[in-house]
Amino acid sequence: MQYIEELKIQMISQTLQTAAMAILEISIHQAIKLDRTKCSGLRSLSGCAFLINITEPNLRIYLVIDSTGQPRLQSIYEGEITTRVSGTASEFFALTLSEDPGAELINSPLEISGESNRLLEISQIFKNLDLDWEAYLTEYLGDIASHRIGSSVRRVHQWNKLTKDSLLRQIREYIHEEARLSPSKLELEDFYTDIQKLRLAADRLASLTKKLRKAI
Amino acid sequence: MKENDSTDFGFKTVPKNEKADLVAGIFNSVADRYDLMNDLMSIGIHRIWKRFAIELSAVREGNSVLDIAGGTGDLAIKFADIVGPDGTVVLADINESMLKVGRDKLLDKCWRPNIDFVQADAQNLPFPDATFECITIAFGLRNVTDKSAALKSMYRALKPGGRLLILEFSKPTNEILAKAYDAYSFHILPLMGKIVANDSDSYKYLAESIRMHPDQEELQILVEDAGFSNCDYYNMTGGIVAIHRGIKNPDD
């Protein structure tokens, strides 16, 4: 059993980490190829090295922008680090889901040291990648087929979005209005306003009582 | 035959002056299908090992890099992109067939103007002292007749503070893995060689030469004996492969 445990640890260590980085790097390069306008932005960051230090689980990823503006992912880097970001995996995950990664970076519990403006630049570039999948498909399938596939994907995406929005709205209505499991946002706001009024009234009453006591 | 005059060639013992020709015969035979066989034998993992070796090299823009036993140019191409137009990569190989395959691959598919090709013996590198910031030898050292002479030659050609990286098969650190690896090496590998490259003997030699190659600790001692300092090694895939690293003394 001990051998098997040792074997697992050895096999998943460096080789898998390097493989995962290689796959991620290829994906980033593909994404950049689909939005060539962003390449020039990355070129302005050439020579920068960002250390993404994930504390739980323990993992260090170096994002290095080379002289041609291509991002490279490494597990070992011995040059100067432009910016370090440290935090747990869940904090980094929240960052990737954020609509505004710049604000999220500043407001989140992630620890940042070094040139934070460089970090904001690169996070905006990655966030604003506008992937032109249809152009990519055109190279292999031609104009008509790729346009049809693109239209179908957009329709499915739109349908998914509408269905998701509608489902969320109905669930919200059911919870608030039908089952009365939780108050609605408006009811909560009214409730908080009433509490605020009550607190002010209590303060006034306390002040009045104090005055009366002094007068007596 | 005196012990000092002989060396290993797989599990056989041969006169030292014959090993180079025997190894050349192996590589002349496999050169055309070298890349394909590498991918098949390692299920593509050799690319990950090479990638990690490049990370350890700490090569920068403008550096000079020597890739010994560079064969079909996998490492040289990556280094050429990193060092950029101000840097140089020298792809060296003792074997003419391998060098030709590597050069044809670069000319046809991925030409890099900053790569030079040199047919050279690792034991007597034809470069002035202190020429390179980094020297790599990937899956080549075990085929060299006199490993100490080769390491000393590399030390001489490195700039002070320069870095040597040896990527080579080594000894698995886990018994179960070692047994599975033996079964794979001595049964599946020669069969694969026979089917794909019509040459089972060369792949039998590959398995035998790996077993005869110094293990992680022994190789580290050889590297240190050649003069390198700050020597260490990284095991990859449970020790099937190890990457040894050494630095040339900045005062030399």
Side-chain angles (χ1 to χ4, degrees):
Chain A
M1 277 308 283
Q2 191 196 342
Y3 285 134
I4 293 170
E5 282 308 307
E6 278 176 20
L7 183 65
K8 276 185 196 162
I9 292 164
Q10 286 159 8
M11 298 295 278
I12 61 165
S13 57
Q14 199 58 60
T15 309
L16 278 188
Q17 189 180 331
T18 309
M21 291 219 201
I23 292 165
L24 190 58
E25 187 182 287
I26 291 166
S27 312
I28 292 172
H29 288 179
Q30 286 295 338
I32 291 168
K33 262 190 202 168
L34 296 179
D35 185 0
R36 292 180 193 276
T37 54
K38 295 297 179 299
C39 294
S40 55
L42 280 168
R43 211 164 285 134
S44 71
L45 292 169
S46 75
C48 290
F50 303 93
L51 166 58
I52 299 158
N53 183 24
I54 301 171
T55 50
E56 289 170 24
N58 196 11
L59 183 66
R60 283 181 154 221
I61 301 170
Y62 296 90
L63 172 62
V64 184
I65 313 295
D66 71 14
S67 55
T68 60
Q70 283 285 6
R72 289 203 316 265
L73 293 177
Q74 301 183 191
S75 55
I76 291 178
Y77 181 75
E78 295 175 24
E80 200 177 319
I81 303 291
T82 313
T83 319
R84 287 179 173 77
V85 197
S86 284
T88 61
S90 56
E91 285 161 4
F92 279 103
F93 187 64
L95 180 68
T96 61
L97 296 178
S98 168
E99 287 293 317
D100 184 357
E104 180 71 25
L105 264 173
I106 304 301
N107 299 322
S108 74
L110 291 167
E111 282 177 32
I112 302 170
S113 61
E115 294 181 44
S116 50
N117 58 328
R118 293 294 200 178
L119 185 68
L120 291 177
E121 268 179 62
I122 198 163
S123 65
Q124 281 304 334
I125 288 171
F126 283 130
K127 186 71 197 174
N128 295 334
L129 276 177
D130 185 12
L131 307 185
D132 189 356
W133 294 104
E134 214 169 294
Y136 179 71
L137 287 175
T138 305
E139 281 182 32
Y140 299 95
L141 304 174
D143 292 338
I144 297 169
S146 56
H147 178 67
R148 286 201 173 164
I149 292 171
S151 306
S152 305
V153 170
R154 277 191 292 275
R155 268 201 303 276
V156 171
H157 178 72
Q158 188 66 17
W159 181 84
N160 272 342
K161 193 175 178 299
L162 287 173
T163 310
K164 191 182 113 190
D165 290 348
S166 164
L167 192 66
L168 280 175
R169 197 176 56 247
Q170 286 181 38
I171 289 171
R172 211 176 291 132
E173 276 175 16
Y174 175 79
I175 290 170
H176 296 318
E177 310 297 339
E178 304 292 332
R180 304 295 299 167
L181 293 172
S182 159
S184 68
K185 194 181 170 198
L186 281 174
E187 283 173 320
L188 266 180
E189 279 172 5
D190 286 346
F191 178 65
Y192 291 137
T193 311
D194 288 345
I195 289 176
Q196 182 69 4
K197 279 181 188 168
L198 187 63
R199 193 176 66 79
L200 289 173
D203 284 350
R204 274 198 299 275
L205 186 63
S207 160
L208 200 62
T209 318
K210 207 172 167 184
K211 245 187 207 173
L212 279 171
R213 271 200 192 130
K214 269 186 189 171
I216 295 166
Chain B
M1 197 160 32
K2 285 181 193 168
E3 201 177 303
N4 286 344
D5 297 335
S6 63
T7 187
D8 58 272
F9 175 73
F11 288 159
K12 292 179 203 152
T13 302
V14 296
K16 268 187 178 174
N17 56 5
E18 285 179 17
K19 179 166 175 174
D21 287 339
L22 291 166
V23 171
I26 296 273
F27 281 93
N28 287 337
S29 163
V30 302
D32 288 341
R33 303 217 163 190
Y34 187 80
D35 278 344
L36 173 68
M37 278 304 288
N38 268 355
D39 279 335
L40 284 175
M41 287 185 305
S42 70
I43 358 167
I45 300 175
H46 71 100
R47 294 173 195 280
I48 295 163
W49 298 328
K50 286 171 183 166
R51 184 189 163 95
F52 188 62
I54 289 168
E55 287 184 19
L56 285 175
S57 72
V59 164
R60 299 275 173 275
E61 211 181 334
N63 282 176
S64 295
V65 181
L66 170 63
D67 180 23
I68 302 172
T72 53
D74 282 355
L75 282 176
I77 292 165
K78 301 276 181 201
F79 279 131
D81 291 339
I82 296 170
V83 301
D86 297 331
T88 314
V89 178
V90 178
L91 194 163
D93 204 303
I94 193 171
N95 188 279
E96 193 187 343
S97 306
M98 291 296 290
L99 205 58
K100 189 174 177 302
V101 170
R103 195 170 49 191
D104 288 349
K105 180 177 152 185
L106 262 90
L107 283 170
D108 294 342
K109 292 178 185 167
C110 38
W111 172 245
R112 304 290 193 280
N114 54 353
I115 300 182
D116 294 327
F117 299 87
V118 174
Q119 189 174 0
D121 179 358
Q123 298 163 120
N124 301 291
L125 290 170
F127 304 104
D129 295 357
T131 305
F132 300 100
E133 270 94 6
C134 179
I135 295 181
T136 57
I137 178 164
F139 305 113
L141 190 65
R142 71 176 188 286
N143 298 314
V144 175
T145 308
D146 188 341
K147 294 174 183 60
S148 295
L151 291 168
K152 281 176 187 154
S153 181
M154 292 173 207
Y155 190 84
R156 183 190 59 74
L158 271 174
K159 287 182 181 173
R163 189 172 290 215
L164 168 71
L165 282 166
I166 303 165
L167 174 61
E168 190 53 90
F169 290 107
S170 205
K171 193 179 172 192
T173 51
N174 179 280
E175 278 185 33
I176 295 174
L177 181 64
K179 279 180 184 151
Y181 180 51
D182 276 348
Y184 174 75
S185 307
F186 289 107
H187 297 102
I188 299 171
L189 216 58
L191 185 67
M192 218 184 262
K194 190 170 173 52
I195 294 167
V196 180
N198 196 24
D199 179 2
S200 63
D201 287 345
S202 297
Y203 292 93
K204 194 169 156 249
Y205 163 74
L206 171 69
E208 290 177 1
S209 66
I210 291 168
R211 299 311 182 280
M212 297 306 290
H213 185 67
D215 67 18
Q216 289 89 332
E217 293 298 328
E218 288 165 354
L219 183 55
Q220 181 161 335
I221 291 167
L222 278 181
V223 175
E224 284 166 350
D225 287 348
F228 289 93
S229 51
N230 295 86
C231 300
D232 57 4
Y233 65 84
Y234 289 79
N235 280 326
M236 300 282 292
T237 320
I240 288 176
V241 157
I243 303 174
H244 284 74
R245 187 167 59 161
I247 312 281
K248 180 170 177 174
N249 197 324
D251 301 327
D252 280 355

